Structures are given as C-alpha cells and as structure tokens.
Amino acid sequence: VQLQASGGGLVQAGGSLRLSCAARSGYSLDDKAIAWFRQAPGKEREEVSCQGMNEGKIYYADSVKGRFTMSRDSAKKTMILQMNSLTPEDTAVYYCAVDPSVWYSDSYCLRNYDYWGQGTQVTVSS
C-alpha cells in the first residue's frame, strides 16, 4: 500500500494548513489505525495524532492539542490533518501512517505502522 501525503507548504505563523493522505490504490482507511507523525531537522520523529478505528478516541500530542484536528473522509478514503495557529515550532516533515492489522478505541499511538507516506514539508515562518 502506497500512501500519498499532500498539502504541505510555507505559511506564516498563525496561519493554517490542511494535510491529506490517501492510498494510491484507493485503499480504504475505514477501521484501520491511522496516524500522523512529524520530524523536524535534527530531531527524532514524534507522534502528532493517532486514531485506532473509526469513531475511536483521537490522541493528540500536547504540543498540538487545541490547534490540530485529525479526521477521516471515508468517501474519499483519505485522512486529514487540519493544522491551525501554526508556529515555527511546527516546522517539520509530516508523515502519515496506517496499520491495517490493529484496531482499537482508546487514545494512543502504535509503536510501529505497516505503511508510511513519503512525507510532506511544512514550514512556518515567524
């Protein structure tokens, strides 16, 4: 399964971006564990938001709570990360990830995911 992330770009602090991720083959994301991660230059990859199944609780990292919203669009078979009130600290490459073998309702991220997108660059200027 190849995931395609899009929507990154350059934005000023306080601005918004909407990231999307879909499987090129039209692979459904319904009731699969999905996640967004990010990696800033010189830093380790960190989890941003995760969900174990449709209607499951969504996990958000403390650094993005109240600003980022993750959702699924079942009809379009995509996952969305709406990012508002962006700050320079949000600058990173953002990756989407899916694991079809696990589903759960609680709010947490898996340690590993089977499929990863290629990443989309988000740059926030001050």
Tab-separated table of all heavy atoms in Angstrom, residues 2 7 12 17 20 23 28 39 43 57 67 74-75 85 95 97-98 100 102 104-105 124-125:
chain	number	residue	atom	x	y	z
A	2	GLN	N	0.710	2.072	-0.982
A	2	GLN	CA	1.481	3.319	-1.058
A	2	GLN	C	0.591	4.483	-0.626
A	2	GLN	O	-0.462	4.705	-1.201
A	2	GLN	CB	1.981	3.544	-2.479
A	2	GLN	CG	3.066	2.576	-2.915
A	2	GLN	CD	3.605	2.906	-4.293
A	2	GLN	OE1	2.856	3.122	-5.219
A	2	GLN	NE2	4.925	2.974	-4.398
A	7	GLY	N	-0.367	18.615	0.773
A	7	GLY	CA	-0.904	19.760	1.487
A	7	GLY	C	0.104	20.589	2.242
A	7	GLY	O	-0.237	21.631	2.795
A	12	GLN	N	2.877	31.558	7.147
A	12	GLN	CA	3.319	32.427	8.226
A	12	GLN	C	2.762	31.953	9.555
A	12	GLN	O	1.715	31.283	9.610
A	12	GLN	CB	2.865	33.859	7.960
A	12	GLN	CG	3.609	34.541	6.825
A	12	GLN	CD	3.259	36.011	6.721
A	12	GLN	OE1	2.158	36.428	7.110
A	12	GLN	NE2	4.178	36.798	6.188
A	17	LEU	N	-2.811	25.112	7.645
A	17	LEU	CA	-2.597	24.198	6.527
A	17	LEU	C	-3.461	22.964	6.749
A	17	LEU	O	-3.764	22.603	7.883
A	17	LEU	CB	-1.138	23.770	6.422
A	17	LEU	CG	-0.151	24.775	5.817
A	17	LEU	CD1	1.277	24.229	5.951
A	17	LEU	CD2	-0.469	25.069	4.374
A	20	SER	N	-3.449	16.097	3.686
A	20	SER	CA	-4.258	14.950	3.304
A	20	SER	C	-3.361	13.761	3.034
A	20	SER	O	-2.203	13.928	2.658
A	20	SER	CB	-5.072	15.251	2.041
A	20	SER	OG	-5.965	16.305	2.248
A	23	ALA	N	-4.299	6.458	-0.023
A	23	ALA	CA	-3.599	5.354	-0.663
A	23	ALA	C	-3.814	5.452	-2.167
A	23	ALA	O	-4.921	5.690	-2.628
A	23	ALA	CB	-4.116	4.023	-0.137
A	28	SER	N	-9.052	1.516	1.358
A	28	SER	CA	-9.908	2.117	2.366
A	28	SER	C	-9.183	2.216	3.707
A	28	SER	O	-8.473	1.300	4.113
A	28	SER	CB	-11.171	1.284	2.553
A	28	SER	OG	-11.929	1.787	3.635
A	39	GLN	N	8.809	15.037	11.774
A	39	GLN	CA	10.227	15.029	12.131
A	39	GLN	C	10.840	16.352	11.712
A	39	GLN	O	10.857	16.700	10.523
A	39	GLN	CB	10.959	13.868	11.458
A	39	GLN	CG	12.395	13.733	11.928
A	39	GLN	CD	13.007	12.401	11.547
A	39	GLN	OE1	12.528	11.709	10.649
A	39	GLN	NE2	14.059	12.009	12.245
A	43	LYS	N	15.980	16.406	14.872
A	43	LYS	CA	15.183	15.844	15.954
A	43	LYS	C	14.634	14.484	15.578
A	43	LYS	O	14.564	14.124	14.401
A	43	LYS	CB	14.035	16.789	16.310
A	43	LYS	CG	14.480	18.128	16.878
A	43	LYS	CD	13.295	18.946	17.330
A	43	LYS	CE	13.724	20.256	17.963
A	43	LYS	NZ	12.546	21.062	18.424
A	57	LYS	N	-11.290	7.143	19.983
A	57	LYS	CA	-10.727	8.350	20.575
A	57	LYS	C	-9.470	8.743	19.809
A	57	LYS	O	-8.700	7.897	19.376
A	57	LYS	CB	-10.403	8.101	22.045
A	57	LYS	CG	-11.615	7.810	22.903
A	57	LYS	CD	-11.202	7.511	24.335
A	57	LYS	CE	-12.420	7.169	25.195
A	57	LYS	NZ	-12.032	6.827	26.583
A	67	ARG	N	-5.089	22.878	18.525
A	67	ARG	CA	-4.733	23.543	17.270
A	67	ARG	C	-4.885	22.625	16.062
A	67	ARG	O	-5.222	23.081	14.970
A	67	ARG	CB	-3.284	24.041	17.337
A	67	ARG	CG	-3.012	25.028	18.465
A	67	ARG	CD	-1.603	25.606	18.372
A	67	ARG	NE	-0.571	24.591	18.479
A	67	ARG	CZ	0.339	24.346	17.522
A	67	ARG	NH1	0.329	25.049	16.393
A	67	ARG	NH2	1.258	23.409	17.697
A	74	SER	N	-14.239	8.927	4.783
A	74	SER	CA	-14.421	7.565	4.277
A	74	SER	C	-14.752	7.550	2.790
A	74	SER	O	-14.285	6.684	2.057
A	74	SER	CB	-15.531	6.859	5.073
A	74	SER	OG	-15.130	6.671	6.403
A	75	ALA	N	-15.554	8.497	2.355
A	75	ALA	CA	-15.947	8.528	0.940
A	75	ALA	C	-14.740	8.739	0.035
A	75	ALA	O	-14.628	8.134	-1.028
A	75	ALA	CB	-16.989	9.613	0.715
A	85	SER	N	-3.344	27.839	13.748
A	85	SER	CA	-2.475	28.583	14.674
A	85	SER	C	-1.054	28.046	14.653
A	85	SER	O	-0.452	27.792	15.697
A	85	SER	CB	-3.046	28.525	16.095
A	85	SER	OG	-4.349	29.042	16.145
A	95	TYR	N	4.451	12.994	8.213
A	95	TYR	CA	4.237	11.677	7.626
A	95	TYR	C	2.896	11.103	8.069
A	95	TYR	O	2.541	11.186	9.242
A	95	TYR	CB	5.333	10.712	8.060
A	95	TYR	CG	6.721	11.103	7.637
A	95	TYR	CD1	7.527	11.886	8.463
A	95	TYR	CD2	7.234	10.686	6.414
A	95	TYR	CE1	8.804	12.246	8.078
A	95	TYR	CE2	8.520	11.042	6.021
A	95	TYR	CZ	9.288	11.828	6.861
A	95	TYR	OH	10.559	12.181	6.475
A	97	ALA	N	0.631	7.513	8.379
A	97	ALA	CA	0.922	6.097	8.573
A	97	ALA	C	-0.372	5.331	8.823
A	97	ALA	O	-1.329	5.874	9.387
A	97	ALA	CB	1.889	5.911	9.738
A	98	VAL	N	-0.373	4.084	8.400
A	98	VAL	CA	-1.548	3.222	8.555
A	98	VAL	C	-1.102	1.818	8.972
A	98	VAL	O	-0.078	1.315	8.499
A	98	VAL	CB	-2.340	3.110	7.227
A	98	VAL	CG1	-3.504	2.131	7.372
A	98	VAL	CG2	-2.857	4.469	6.796
A	100	PRO	N	-3.166	-1.775	9.115
A	100	PRO	CA	-4.456	-2.440	8.938
A	100	PRO	C	-4.672	-3.646	9.842
A	100	PRO	O	-5.772	-4.209	9.883
A	100	PRO	CB	-4.390	-2.889	7.476
A	100	PRO	CG	-2.930	-3.139	7.246
A	100	PRO	CD	-2.208	-2.104	8.059
A	102	VAL	N	-4.266	-3.768	13.145
A	102	VAL	CA	-4.610	-3.438	14.523
A	102	VAL	C	-5.724	-2.410	14.522
A	102	VAL	O	-5.697	-1.484	13.721
A	102	VAL	CB	-3.392	-2.868	15.273
A	102	VAL	CG1	-3.762	-2.528	16.714
A	102	VAL	CG2	-2.223	-3.832	15.212
A	104	TYR	N	-8.289	-0.309	17.538
A	104	TYR	CA	-8.541	-0.111	18.958
A	104	TYR	C	-9.299	1.181	19.139
A	104	TYR	O	-9.313	2.023	18.236
A	104	TYR	CB	-7.215	-0.078	19.739
A	104	TYR	CG	-6.248	0.969	19.239
A	104	TYR	CD1	-6.219	2.243	19.792
A	104	TYR	CD2	-5.370	0.687	18.198
A	104	TYR	CE1	-5.353	3.212	19.320
A	104	TYR	CE2	-4.496	1.644	17.718
A	104	TYR	CZ	-4.484	2.902	18.287
A	104	TYR	OH	-3.627	3.864	17.807
A	105	SER	N	-9.914	1.356	20.286
A	105	SER	CA	-10.756	2.519	20.508
A	105	SER	C	-10.120	3.574	21.393
A	105	SER	O	-10.573	4.720	21.404
A	105	SER	CB	-12.096	2.093	21.115
A	105	SER	OG	-11.878	1.446	22.353
A	124	VAL	N	6.889	26.885	8.733
A	124	VAL	CA	6.174	28.025	9.312
A	124	VAL	C	7.179	29.128	9.596
A	124	VAL	O	8.122	28.930	10.370
A	124	VAL	CB	5.433	27.625	10.598
A	124	VAL	CG1	4.605	28.800	11.111
A	124	VAL	CG2	4.546	26.412	10.359
A	125	SER	N	6.967	30.264	8.969
A	125	SER	CA	7.886	31.388	9.156
A	125	SER	C	7.379	32.309	10.268
A	125	SER	O	6.174	32.449	10.470
A	125	SER	CB	8.025	32.175	7.859
A	125	SER	OG	6.769	32.718	7.477
